[in-house]
Amino acid sequence: MVRRIDATGHLVTPGLVNTHHHFYQWITRGLATDHNLFNWLVALYPTWARIDEQMVRAAAQGSLAMMARGGVTTAMDHHYVYPVNSGDLSGAIIGAASEMGVRFTLARGSMDRSEKDGGLPPDFAVETTEGALAATEETVKRHHDASFDAMTQVAVAPVPLLHLHRAAPRGAALGRRLGVRMHTHGSETVEEEKFCHELFGMGPTDYFESTGFLGEDVWMAHCVHMNDSDIAAFARTKTGVAHYPSSNARLAAGIARVPDMLAAGVPVGLGVDGTASNESGELHTELRNALLINRLGAHREAALNARQALRLGTHGGAQVLGRADSIGSLEAGKLADFVLWKIDGLGHSTIADPVTAIVFGAAARSRPPSSTAGRSSRTTGCSPSTRTPSRATRARRQRLARIAARA
């Protein structure tokens, strides 16, 4: 069956691919707004440690709807907070993505370093190493689809060094035994670099390589503080990078060396990060921010252009998620994941080049919200992102704001 769409006044692009997110943070947007990473984590963990299945499902619905209406056809969520007796959190997230109709990767995270071990999360909010690895394997076996047109995939994703104790080395072995991708955070702040040297006697990149956590089946979030040797290691091993300039700026983490990574051959895609550090929750605004913020670095106006920024959000993201054979570009034989960007309105009509219009211009909206394999994503009536907040929702926000004020 042939389906014809009138795209007059629109730019057609591949669907955007989000390579990093924390959906649960939707319920703590707008809190701890003047904190660096460490103090931000300290302020918000008391709330995050009490999430449950109902909260996580609602947060996933809001996060997904916000992205889908802005052109995302493939999303991912790095979820690593699994408090005791909190319900089926992974199932809630995957269910929300399935209902929305977006292609999805759950990066099943884990933490095994709690307050008693010198970490930040409360003891009841982390798992044992054995429990986390077993739960991750069960999630892969239950939900991962390795097929060409898969709608749901699962990655093994122990969390950053501040929260890891024993899971990282065994996580790499688990991911390769199961034949799935692996993900975590790395080189986010200068404090992390110092912490890693104190704990392991080496920097984050060397540590991850020593544990098997570099390779073409791995992608790393942040990668802000990378020296030439680190970038060379990522290029040599084909380890991917999830870049999200808005979150890095909000938490004052720094500017990642994206132009140098691309020049070295490192796969780089874009991500939203959690909406507690990027309240917009949108990926298409990251196209513009990636270009502008990287021009503040050493390469200045030569850092990125509009088409390179769009490529980061499409083909680059597909590479990072290991799906460049099926998504990320519009060509024969690939899946019909595409976006129609309306560019004939006030915000874009006087910008001659359409790619420049969606990257440099006002935040564009897609019509329909996005299309995955030719089907529109279902955002109508789904969650806090598309409805006026209820009285209960407003009360919950006020309560969370009071918690943050006391922190």
Side-chain angles (χ1 to χ4, degrees):
M1 183 180 71
V2 176
R3 180 185 177 195
R4 298 187 184 278
I5 298 173
D6 182 0
T8 302
H10 292 73
L11 172 67
V12 183
T13 74
L16 299 184
V17 179
N18 177 41
T19 63
H20 188 77
H21 210 310
H22 301 296
F23 290 173
Y24 73 90
Q25 292 181 13
W26 179 269
I27 61 176
T28 55
R29 294 197 298 169
L31 304 178
T33 56
D34 301 310
H35 294 52
N36 63 21
L37 174 66
F38 184 84
N39 292 331
W40 177 80
L41 291 170
V42 170
L44 294 178
Y45 259 125
T47 301
W48 295 343
R50 289 165 175 81
I51 59 175
D52 59 25
E53 184 175 339
Q54 183 179 3
M55 295 179 190
V56 166
R57 186 178 187 84
Q61 289 174 328
S63 297
L64 287 160
M66 201 70 194
M67 288 187 290
R69 76 173 194 170
V72 170
T73 55
T74 298
M76 70 80 68
D77 183 33
H78 184 194
H79 189 83
Y80 56 87
V81 184
Y82 289 87
V84 176
N85 299 321
S86 56
D88 182 9
L89 304 189
S90 294
I93 297 164
I94 290 171
S98 178
E99 291 172 3
M100 193 75 65
V102 299
R103 219 172 291 285
F104 180 64
T105 295
L106 174 69
R108 204 295 183 183
S110 55
M111 298 186 292
D112 64 358
R113 179 187 292 275
S114 65
E115 289 176 328
K116 65 179 174 55
D117 301 311
L120 293 176
D123 294 345
F124 64 84
V126 305
E127 302 170 280
T128 64
T129 304
E130 296 298 334
L133 293 171
T136 299
E137 182 167 1
E138 172 60 26
T139 302
V140 172
K141 291 180 176 179
R142 181 177 178 186
H143 295 290
H144 181 70
D145 180 358
S147 63
F148 176 82
D149 61 349
M151 293 299 291
T152 303
Q153 296 195 331
V154 179
V156 175
V159 297
L161 299 172
L162 287 172
H163 316 308
L164 281 174
H165 196 197
R166 294 169 290 270
R170 297 176 62 184
L174 175 64
R176 293 201 171 97
R177 176 167 63 81
L178 297 175
V180 298
R181 297 183 72 75
M182 294 165 285
H183 178 60
T184 191
H185 294 213
S187 301
E188 183 171 0
T189 65
V190 292
E191 291 82 10
E192 178 194 326
E193 176 89 16
K194 179 181 178 181
F195 178 81
C196 191
H197 275 282
E198 292 175 351
L199 198 62
F200 304 114
M202 63 186 83
T205 298
D206 290 337
Y207 170 71
F208 282 124
E209 185 159 31
S210 75
T211 63
F213 227 89
L214 291 186
E216 60 182 358
D217 53 357
V218 178
W219 82 104
M220 204 77 68
H222 290 289
C223 300
V224 176
H225 297 279
M226 302 266 284
N227 59 34
D228 290 346
S229 176
D230 296 330
I231 292 174
F234 272 55
R236 171 172 45 80
T237 59
K238 298 300 181 184
T239 302
V241 171
H243 174 54
Y244 25 95
S246 296
S247 177
N248 290 340
R250 186 199 188 278
L251 296 174
I255 301 174
R257 295 173 58 189
V258 171
D260 294 329
M261 295 178 195
L262 294 174
V266 177
V268 181
L270 295 180
V272 170
D273 203 6
T275 49
S277 62
N278 181 3
E279 276 76 2
S280 77
E282 297 177 315
L283 187 65
H284 64 296
T285 53
E286 296 302 287
L287 302 176
R288 184 174 191 264
N289 290 345
L291 185 152
L292 296 181
I293 290 178
N294 277 283
R295 287 188 177 187
L296 296 175
H299 296 273
R300 302 179 67 183
E301 70 277 6
L304 292 174
N305 61 38
R307 281 165 173 74
Q308 287 173 316
L310 178 59
R311 185 176 176 86
L312 288 177
T314 54
H315 181 70
Q319 284 184 298
V320 165
L321 294 186
R323 304 204 64 176
D325 63 329
S326 59
I327 62 173
S329 58
L330 300 179
E331 54 186 300
K334 287 196 174 184
L335 299 171
D337 292 9
F338 64 88
V339 183
L340 299 177
W341 301 101
K342 186 171 178 58
I343 56 173
D344 61 354
L346 178 64
H348 307 92
S349 60
T350 58
I351 303 176
D353 177 65
V355 176
T356 297
I358 64 168
V359 175
F360 280 87
R365 286 288 178 262
S366 58
R367 183 195 69 83
S370 57
S371 182
T372 304
R375 299 185 300 272
S376 296
S377 299
R378 296 178 285 276
T379 61
T380 305
C382 71
S383 91
S385 67
T386 55
R387 298 197 304 260
T388 301
S390 66
R391 181 179 299 176
T393 298
R394 289 194 296 269
R396 184 163 58 249
R397 289 176 181 169
Q398 291 167 357
R399 178 176 61 83
L400 291 171
R402 288 194 295 270
I403 293 173
R406 293 195 299 267

